[in-house]
Amino acid sequence: MRISELDTPAVLVDLDRVERNLARFQAYCDRHGIENRPHVKTHKVVEFARRQVELGAVGICCQKLGEAEVMAAAGLPDILIPFNLVGAAKLGRARALAERVALRVSADDPLVVDGLAEAFASAPRPLPVLVECDTGARRCGVQTPEAARELALRIDRARGLRFAGLMTYPAKGAPERAATFLAEAKALIEARGLAVPSVSSGGTPDMWRAHEQPVITEYRVGTYIYNDLMEVACGAARLEDCALTVLTTVVSRPTADRAILDAGSKSLTSDLNGQTGHGRIVEYPEAVIYGLSEEHGHVDLRACTARPSIGEKVRVIPNHACPVSNLFDRILTVRGERVEGSFVVAARGRVD
Amino acid sequence: MRISELDTPAVLVDLDRVERNLARFQAYCDRHGIENRPHVKTHKVVEFARRQVELGAVGICCQKLGEAEVMAAAGLPDILIPFNLVGAAKLGRARALAERVALRVSADDPLVVDGLAEAFASAPRPLPVLVECDTGARRCGVQTPEAARELALRIDRARGLRFAGLMTYPAKGAPERAATFLAEAKALIEARGLAVPSVSSGGTPDMWRAHEQPVITEYRVGTYIYNDLMEVACGAARLEDCALTVLTTVVSRPTADRAILDAGSKSLTSDLNGQTGHGRIVEYPEAVIYGLSEEHGHVDLRACTARPSIGEKVRVIPNHACPVSNLFDRILTVRGERVEGSFVVAARGRVD
């Protein structure tokens, strides 16, 4: 089957581009002795997670326990959840999950560490816990290298836990600031006789600079498998590296200057991520998707010489690929214009 | 079970509020002799669609054929798809659907009408088609009352189709402008001896003004079942009418002024819809959700006197309820603090 025969909207993933994207960053990590731990949040597809590990990833990363459970059931053996797991329900699930896979988690507060310690006190093997550091992104994380040291010592003291290292999600464009914090925390912890086996950073935007910070031993990347306009804008990828597109039909041409697509915010999401439009139409790059309703994309054609007719199908590269694949139960796999098959987005909807 | 015992994030829908919201607008429609045709895009739940019809709705409205197929399978007998159906795949599905339910659709272009006419030429009964009018929202629709007349006549001439009236999605806050267009188009069509049985408008923001435009015979409302911050901001609902909330846990308190929730853009969506923050925390109304990552909500607590601890669960009223329920496979139904059960979001993921 050819792409032109598909109904719309649909998410297409070009497998040649996926392979190239995965191989390129894995080779970079291998060259620089960095452990690659891809984040499945972008694709949520077990086949892709397996492929990432097959190519050399040390394990995978899941932002939600529910995602990790799906990946574990699919045979993925090594999973990091870089997220504070809080509350009896989640701690019980984490304990069960750790019996099946090599699980590691992060924590940024004594309360979180104490919860994990209680849940894992009688576990057959200790749970590796990384200390999450806020190195400038102002999300989660301890605020100072000293606080990182104190939390590391607390983890080390806790029965059922093992201090596994440091983790950060750095501010975009400032990897050296993250590295400074991490190196300082590492030194403080080592000065107390505690080893820091792993220092994990992440983020697709700055992935090609991971080797500039020798303190980093592991890197977590998500979007690199698909790429999107945001990654192109920040120089991490080229347009021809964008593997995910939304196939959509021009369903209305109310005026000469305007087209309406059957893909709106429920297909493309409202994520702007620094872009002004809502995606790039591959066949009409001068067109501007200036607005979205839930099921309509509003396109300004004024800058276009050729203009699409009603019924014409076009492909849109989204601003942000991750939340797009999260809206679809299934993605269609393609190579060039040929449809190969489909993958279930198995971890989609595993919200907790 | 009580809400406090639930794991997070989760979508909670308060059934008492839902009942009140549904009954209030149905009573308004009954009082003014307007046919109520609720839009299921907001909830995508068959139980709620049935309840809307039970309370007096003339039928339902689906933005996607896939949604309509789910609702038809669940026994909903009368469905409007106010969307140009284009292409052989969709036309074939529409034809099959029309054998099972009273289906009606809209069209805004001769090409769309001709496609429908071809698909329904040999149908056992003609397909009712409304002419979509662009009355100021600048989405789909014919641009002038004269164009509406021409399209109505084309529908009337087509074997397999029946001209059923006019349809618009009006610009927010300008229902009188829409009414002027519709009244003019209606007069032009009637002047050609063609009856205009139905004039359908919609939109929750201006729903309480539907009776001010006597040309309107039918009104389509979606968000009114749940309401959200956008509807509160434009005066269509009060905070206590908001039936949908996202239950989320405070998973990190990195600083005294900041909290991080386990609900991000994959739970709350990036829809701003005129709001500055990303939702209102019911228990901490002074808190500002100033940013979202995919799985984290970033909260500024500076204006709060009381501040939440790690592990505390809070409820967030989203900016826009419709895309939120679209992210979850299941919603939990509650009354006050008590969890009653759950409904499957059956039409979620029916993207085409």
Side-chain angles (χ1 to χ4, degrees):
Chain A
M1 193 190 249
R2 299 182 66 76
I3 288 173
S4 56
E5 299 166 60
L6 292 170
D7 204 357
T8 65
V11 169
L12 310 183
V13 173
D14 188 302
L15 293 179
D16 291 329
R17 295 185 178 198
V18 160
E19 273 296 318
R20 216 165 56 213
N21 293 338
L22 296 185
R24 195 187 291 138
F25 188 66
Q26 186 62 53
Y28 167 87
C29 286
D30 292 345
R31 197 158 61 245
H32 294 290
I34 298 167
E35 294 187 318
N36 179 26
R37 185 181 285 276
H39 210 313
V40 305
K41 71 174 177 100
T42 300
H43 57 74
K44 299 180 190 277
V45 169
V46 297
E47 288 83 353
F48 285 146
R50 286 195 197 114
R51 184 66 185 140
Q52 288 169 315
V53 170
E54 213 170 74
L55 285 169
V58 67
I60 59 167
C61 181
C62 296
Q63 204 72 330
K64 290 283 169 178
L65 194 48
E67 285 180 0
E69 288 164 341
V70 168
M71 294 295 156
L76 277 300
D78 187 317
I79 303 177
L80 164 65
I81 303 177
F83 200 92
N84 285 348
L85 296 178
V86 168
K90 287 216 167 55
L91 290 167
R93 286 163 62 194
R95 171 72 200 270
L97 185 62
E99 313 246 328
R100 306 206 306 275
V101 299
L103 178 70
R104 47 178 57 210
V105 303
S106 68
D108 75 352
D109 194 281
L111 272 175
V112 178
V113 169
D114 294 355
L116 291 167
E118 197 185 325
F120 282 81
S122 64
R125 54 176 190 273
L127 176 73
V129 181
L130 301 157
V131 170
E132 177 161 6
C133 302
D134 179 355
T135 58
R138 300 189 70 242
R139 197 163 74 183
C140 301
V142 297
Q143 297 297 300
T144 62
E146 292 73 20
R149 176 192 59 202
E150 293 313 303
L151 204 59
L153 293 170
R154 193 180 190 101
I155 294 165
D156 183 56
R157 282 193 306 270
R159 194 156 62 95
L161 307 184
R162 177 168 70 75
F163 173 66
L166 301 170
M167 189 279 286
T168 195
Y169 185 77
K172 200 174 129 181
E176 54 295 307
R177 182 172 160 193
T180 305
F181 185 118
L182 295 168
E184 218 174 303
K186 182 169 186 273
L188 287 174
I189 295 165
E190 287 172 343
R192 298 291 283 268
L194 193 56
V196 182
S198 175
V199 178
S200 181
S201 189
T204 298
D206 293 307
M207 66 182 178
W208 304 113
R209 300 179 59 191
H211 69 288
E212 296 172 9
Q213 283 76 42
V215 68
I216 293 171
T217 66
E218 173 183 283
Y219 205 80
R220 310 181 313 279
V221 273
T223 316
Y224 86 119
I225 183 170
Y226 291 157
N227 291 309
D228 52 28
L229 293 188
M230 174 180 67
E231 300 304 343
V232 172
C234 73
R238 302 158 305 173
L239 276 173
E240 57 267 37
D241 301 324
C242 292
L244 180 147
T245 51
V246 175
L247 184 72
T248 169
T249 301
V250 175
V251 289
S252 178
R253 282 296 316 278
T255 69
D257 288 342
R258 192 180 348 136
I260 305 292
L261 307 175
D262 70 352
S265 63
K266 282 179 176 169
S267 293
L268 296 167
T269 84
S270 300
D271 277 25
L272 283 171
N273 287 54
Q275 308 300 301
T276 48
H278 293 277
R280 179 188 169 96
I281 302 179
V282 176
E283 296 82 356
Y284 298 92
E286 305 88 2
V288 178
I289 307 178
Y290 66 91
L292 297 176
S293 327
E294 286 167 50
E295 302 290 7
H296 299 84
H298 307 219
V299 185
D300 182 343
L301 300 172
R302 279 176 298 175
C304 303
T305 41
R307 298 179 179 199
S309 308
I310 289 180
E312 195 171 325
K313 291 171 190 169
V314 296
R315 290 168 76 171
V316 178
I317 303 173
N319 291 341
H320 191 190
C322 314
V324 171
S325 64
N326 183 49
L327 290 168
F328 289 75
D329 291 336
R330 192 174 282 274
I331 55 160
L332 298 166
T333 53
V334 305
R335 291 192 198 266
E337 292 303 312
R338 193 159 45 86
V339 182
E340 295 248 314
S342 69
F343 286 148
V344 175
V345 188
R348 200 218 65 75
R350 299 303 300 256
V351 291
D352 66 3
Chain B
M1 194 190 249
R2 299 182 65 78
I3 289 173
S4 55
E5 297 166 61
L6 292 170
D7 204 357
T8 64
V11 168
L12 311 183
V13 173
D14 189 302
L15 294 179
D16 291 329
R17 294 185 177 197
V18 160
E19 274 295 319
R20 217 165 55 211
N21 292 339
L22 296 186
R24 194 188 292 140
F25 188 66
Q26 186 61 54
Y28 168 86
C29 287
D30 293 346
R31 196 158 63 243
H32 294 290
I34 298 167
E35 293 188 316
N36 179 26
R37 185 181 285 275
H39 210 313
V40 305
K41 71 173 179 99
T42 300
H43 57 74
K44 299 180 191 278
V45 169
V46 297
E47 289 83 352
F48 286 146
R50 287 196 197 112
R51 183 66 184 140
Q52 288 169 316
V53 171
E54 213 171 75
L55 286 169
V58 66
I60 60 167
C61 181
C62 296
Q63 203 73 329
K64 290 282 166 177
L65 193 48
E67 284 179 2
E69 288 164 341
V70 169
M71 293 296 155
L76 277 301
D78 187 317
I79 302 178
L80 164 65
I81 304 177
F83 201 92
N84 285 348
L85 295 179
V86 169
K90 286 216 166 56
L91 290 167
R93 287 164 61 193
R95 170 74 199 270
L97 185 61
E99 313 247 327
R100 305 206 307 276
V101 299
L103 179 69
R104 47 179 56 209
V105 305
S106 67
D108 74 352
D109 194 280
L111 272 176
V112 178
V113 169
D114 295 354
L116 290 167
E118 197 186 324
F120 282 81
S122 65
R125 55 176 189 272
L127 177 72
V129 181
L130 301 158
V131 170
E132 178 161 6
C133 303
D134 180 356
T135 58
R138 300 188 70 242
R139 198 164 73 183
C140 300
V142 297
Q143 297 297 299
T144 61
E146 292 73 21
R149 177 192 57 201
E150 294 312 303
L151 204 58
L153 293 170
R154 192 180 191 99
I155 294 166
D156 184 54
R157 282 193 305 269
R159 193 155 63 96
L161 306 184
R162 177 168 70 75
F163 173 66
L166 301 170
M167 189 280 287
T168 195
Y169 185 77
K172 200 175 129 179
E176 55 295 306
R177 183 172 161 192
T180 304
F181 186 118
L182 294 167
E184 217 174 303
K186 182 168 186 272
L188 287 175
I189 295 166
E190 286 172 344
R192 297 292 281 270
L194 193 56
V196 182
S198 174
V199 178
S200 180
S201 188
T204 299
D206 292 307
M207 65 182 179
W208 303 114
R209 299 179 60 191
H211 70 287
E212 296 172 11
Q213 283 76 41
V215 69
I216 293 170
T217 65
E218 173 182 284
Y219 205 81
R220 311 180 313 279
V221 272
T223 316
Y224 86 118
I225 183 171
Y226 291 157
N227 291 309
D228 52 28
L229 293 189
M230 176 181 65
E231 301 304 342
V232 172
C234 72
R238 303 159 303 173
L239 276 174
E240 57 267 37
D241 301 324
C242 292
L244 180 147
T245 50
V246 175
L247 184 72
T248 170
T249 301
V250 175
V251 289
S252 179
R253 282 296 316 277
T255 69
D257 288 341
R258 192 180 351 136
I260 304 292
L261 307 174
D262 68 354
S265 64
K266 282 179 177 169
S267 295
L268 295 168
T269 83
S270 300
D271 277 26
L272 282 170
N273 286 57
Q275 308 299 302
T276 48
H278 293 277
R280 179 188 168 95
I281 302 179
V282 175
E283 296 81 357
Y284 298 92
E286 305 89 0
V288 178
I289 307 178
Y290 66 91
L292 298 176
S293 328
E294 286 168 49
E295 303 290 7
H296 299 84
H298 307 219
V299 185
D300 182 343
L301 300 173
R302 279 176 299 177
C304 304
T305 39
R307 298 180 178 198
S309 308
I310 289 179
E312 195 170 326
K313 291 171 190 167
V314 296
R315 290 168 76 171
V316 178
I317 303 173
N319 291 341
H320 191 191
C322 313
V324 170
S325 63
N326 183 49
L327 290 168
F328 288 75
D329 291 334
R330 193 174 281 275
I331 55 160
L332 298 166
T333 51
V334 305
R335 291 190 198 267
E337 292 303 312
R338 193 160 43 89
V339 182
E340 293 248 317
S342 69
F343 285 148
V344 174
V345 187
R348 200 218 66 75
R350 300 303 300 256
V351 290
D352 64 5

